Every structure is written in structure tokens, then in C-alpha cells.
């Protein structure tokens, strides 16, 4: 695990565009003393051009109650993590998800069947803001759990003797099947193909840690798919309430990834929760999300 932790620490510590670092500091400032770390991840991490894209961040906080002025927001984050919010700074726009240090650690590990966090942090990310060295160490420790959890969970469902890159691709494909995702089904393959050297470098240490997980990281993928898609619906519904312009955000995400041209009426914008729920059956039938 020490070798894997070293790889994770090196990757998290790589430099980012100064505008990304400034945006991360702004996100942390919005939640005051509760902010512990900000991580940058997703497709924008791999893209040179940031203008016109929506950047993705995770804000890690010490405590939900301390992070919000309203108790219901803290309760929502605790019951269906994470909460998601929009953020804009200069010419860039972003969204950020909020998790406590305890939840970030748990959701990167084999304690949870939900793929949402460990599938994302088994991919490259950057630690772009920290409150102190203790926060840095906790973030590195949590992210180091993600790749072993992904691989160990995959080993219960796919042939174990595949070449390393094929196993990574199969693992990510499983996670995409366990959420309602607007991205195309080939996305998991593309993630690996964009940086195969990285996944080869991580494979040995991550696989050693995965095998140490044993059955704790296993479980039924059928159950993961059912629970994951129900959780995706719940998160979308919650986002329509916690995310300013929530209905617009949901439609923007779908149009961007699925190539659709959905437009909202004034009534739909005024009632985002109802809109989110009513859009889902239509989108699932159309294949825009899976």
C-alpha cells in the first residue's frame, strides 16, 4: 500500500492551471473554517481549454453542520451525499460536490457498494487546495483506497487473467453500468486509453491492495446496478433543489453528453424537482442516459 500511496501523492500534487487553483480557493472560502481540501477531477483535468467547460471539484469539509448556515442542507448532505453546487469565477464555471472527511474516506473504500466516489477517484485527480498538512494526508489516504476498491469489485465479475489495461476498462465499464450516466458507454474505455501509461503504472500496487481486500470489496453487481440507479435518481432530484438553476443544470448535462436539444419551459424552470422526476423516464427510454 505504501507504493500505491506514493503514486497517489505524486499525482495529486501535480501542478494545475493557476485559474483552477484560484477557483478551488474560492470554493473553500465559501464554506469557511469547515473547508479541509479541494480536489479537481474529471474531463477538464485532461483538457487544455477550460473556457466553455464546466470544471468538476470535490470540496472536503470537517463537518456538514459547520459547512452550512441551514440545517436542512447539512441533513441533505448527510442522508444522500454529496450536495452539489454551481460556482463561477472570472471566465470559468464549475460545479462542486461536498463530502465530509469521514464520508470521503468511507465512500472511496470497500465499505460501500456505491461506485460514485471510488470510480471517479480511481481516475487521475489533483489536490488543489488544503487547509493544512493533516488535511493533505487524509485526502491522500482516502484517494489511495479508490483504485483497489474498483479492481477488487471488478474481480468478482470479470475474468481475472486479462491484460492490465483490459481489466481497467472492464472495471470502469461495470461502474458506468451502475449509475444513470449521460456519457456514452465507450466512456470507460476512453478514460483508460487517454493515459494508458498511468494505468499500467498503478496496476501492480493497486492490484496487490485489491487482493488484500478479499471479499470485502466483492458483492453482486446486479444489486449495485439497482441501488446505484435508484441513488442516481435521488441525487438528481436533490440536485434540483440544492443546485441553483437545478433543472437547467440537469438539462445542460444531458444535452452536452447525449447530443439532445431539450429546452425547458418557464413552468419547468420554476418547478425543478418535478421537472427532474418527469424527465427521467423519457431519457431512459431514449437511451440518452443508461
Amino acid at each position: 500500500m505504501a507504493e500505491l500511496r506514493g503514486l497517489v501523492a505524486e499525482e495529486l500534487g501535480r501542478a494545475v492551471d493557476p485559474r483552477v487553483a484560484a477557483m478551488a480557493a474560492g470554493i473553500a472560502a465559501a464554506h469557511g473554517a469547515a473547508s479541509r481540501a479541494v480536489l479537481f477531477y474529471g474531463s477538464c483535468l485532461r483538457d487544455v481549454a477550460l473556457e466553455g467547460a464546466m470544471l468538476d471539484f470535490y470540496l472536503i469539509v470537517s463537518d456538514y453542520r459547520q459547512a452550512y448556515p441551514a440545517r436542512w442542507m447539512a441533513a441533505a448532505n448527510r442522508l444522500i451525499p454529496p450536495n452539489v453546487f454551481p460556482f463561477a469565477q472570472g471566465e470559468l464555471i464549475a460545479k462542486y460536490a461536498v463530502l465530509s472527511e469521514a464520508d470521503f474516506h468511507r465512500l472511496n473504500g470497500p465499505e460501500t457498494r456505491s461506485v460514485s466516489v471510488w470510480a471517479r477517484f480511481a481516475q487521475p485527480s489533483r489536490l488543489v487546495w488544503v487547509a493544512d498538512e493533516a488535511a493533505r494526508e487524509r485526502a491522500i489516504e482516502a484517494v489511495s483506497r479508490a483504485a483497489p476498491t474498483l479492481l477488487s469489485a471488478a474481480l468478482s465479475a470479470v475474468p481475472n487473467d486479462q491484460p492490465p489495461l483490459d481489466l481497467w476498462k472492464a472495471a470502469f465499464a461495470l461502474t458506468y453500468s451502475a449509475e444513470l450516466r449521460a456519457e456514452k458507454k465507450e466512456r470507460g474505455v476512453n478514460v483508460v486509453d487517454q493515459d494508458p501509461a498511468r494505468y499500467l503504472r498503478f496496476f501492480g500496487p493497486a492490484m496487490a491492495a485489491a487482493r488484500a481486500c478479499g471479499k470485502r470489496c466483492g458483492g453482486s453487481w446486479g444489486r449495485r446496478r439497482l441501488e446505484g440507479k435508484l441513488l442516481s435518481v435521488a441525487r438528481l432530484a436533490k440536485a434540483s433543489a440544492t443546485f441553483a438553476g437545478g433543472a437547467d443544470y440537469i438539462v445542460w448535462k444531458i444535452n452536452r453528453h447525449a447530443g439532445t436539444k431539450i429546452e425547458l419551459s418557464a413552468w419547468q424552470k420554476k418547478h425543478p424537482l418535478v421537472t427532474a422526476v418527469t424527465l427521467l423516464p423519457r431519457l431512459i427510454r431514449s437511451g440518452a442516459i443508461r
Side-chain angles (χ1 to χ4, degrees), residues 1 3 13 18 31 34 58 63 97 121 124 127 143 154 159 169 175 182 189 201 210 221 236 256 261 287:
M1 191 68 174
E3 183 180 357
H31 293 265
Y58 261 79
D63 176 77
F121 286 95
L127 185 56
V143 174
K169 292 173 184 178
T175 67
V189 172
R201 191 166 62 251
W221 276 93
L236 272 175
R256 178 173 181 262
K261 294 183 179 180

Side-chain angles (χ1 to χ4, degrees), residues 99-173:
L99 285 177
S100 68
E101 286 184 306
D103 277 348
F104 189 54
H105 185 274
R106 175 178 62 85
L107 292 170
N108 269 302
E111 300 92 316
T112 175
R113 282 187 299 274
S114 172
V115 308
S116 180
V117 176
W118 46 259
R120 285 161 176 79
F121 286 95
Q123 302 174 44
S125 59
R126 302 287 184 267
L127 185 56
V128 288
W129 181 92
V130 290
D132 52 40
E133 284 305 307
R136 185 188 307 278
E137 291 302 310
R138 292 199 69 175
I140 292 170
E141 180 183 358
V143 174
S144 296
R145 309 181 80 211
T149 302
L150 170 75
L151 291 176
S152 183
L155 291 177
S156 68
V158 299
N160 296 187
D161 57 352
Q162 299 182 71
L165 294 182
D166 289 345
L167 184 54
W168 279 115
K169 292 173 184 178
F172 283 121

Side-chain angles (χ1 to χ4, degrees), residues 118-247:
W118 46 259
R120 285 161 176 79
F121 286 95
Q123 302 174 44
S125 59
R126 302 287 184 267
L127 185 56
V128 288
W129 181 92
V130 290
D132 52 40
E133 284 305 307
R136 185 188 307 278
E137 291 302 310
R138 292 199 69 175
I140 292 170
E141 180 183 358
V143 174
S144 296
R145 309 181 80 211
T149 302
L150 170 75
L151 291 176
S152 183
L155 291 177
S156 68
V158 299
N160 296 187
D161 57 352
Q162 299 182 71
L165 294 182
D166 289 345
L167 184 54
W168 279 115
K169 292 173 184 178
F172 283 121
L174 284 168
T175 67
Y176 273 74
S177 75
E179 294 183 283
L180 292 177
R181 300 292 296 267
E183 292 88 344
K184 296 178 181 179
K185 63 182 180 181
E186 297 85 5
R187 177 70 172 175
V189 172
N190 293 341
V191 163
V192 177
D193 285 342
Q194 285 172 346
D195 193 358
R198 183 263 184 189
Y199 288 97
L200 288 173
R201 191 166 62 251
F202 271 67
F203 183 77
M207 182 60 80
R211 295 197 184 284
C213 285
K215 293 182 179 180
R216 291 188 303 137
C217 303
S220 164
W221 276 93
R223 184 172 179 180
R224 272 199 181 93
R225 291 187 186 97
L226 175 61
E227 292 178 352
K229 291 182 179 182
L230 290 173
L231 187 56
S232 294
V233 172
R235 284 173 175 155
L236 272 175
K238 181 165 71 87
S240 71
T242 62
F243 199 108

Side-chain angles (χ1 to χ4, degrees), residues 235-268:
R235 284 173 175 155
L236 272 175
K238 181 165 71 87
S240 71
T242 62
F243 199 108
D248 290 297
Y249 160 66
I250 292 168
V251 168
W252 172 86
K253 184 176 178 66
I254 292 163
N255 286 343
R256 178 173 181 262
H257 290 291
T260 53
K261 294 183 179 180
I262 299 169
E263 294 184 3
L264 295 176
S265 67
W267 187 92
Q268 287 175 312

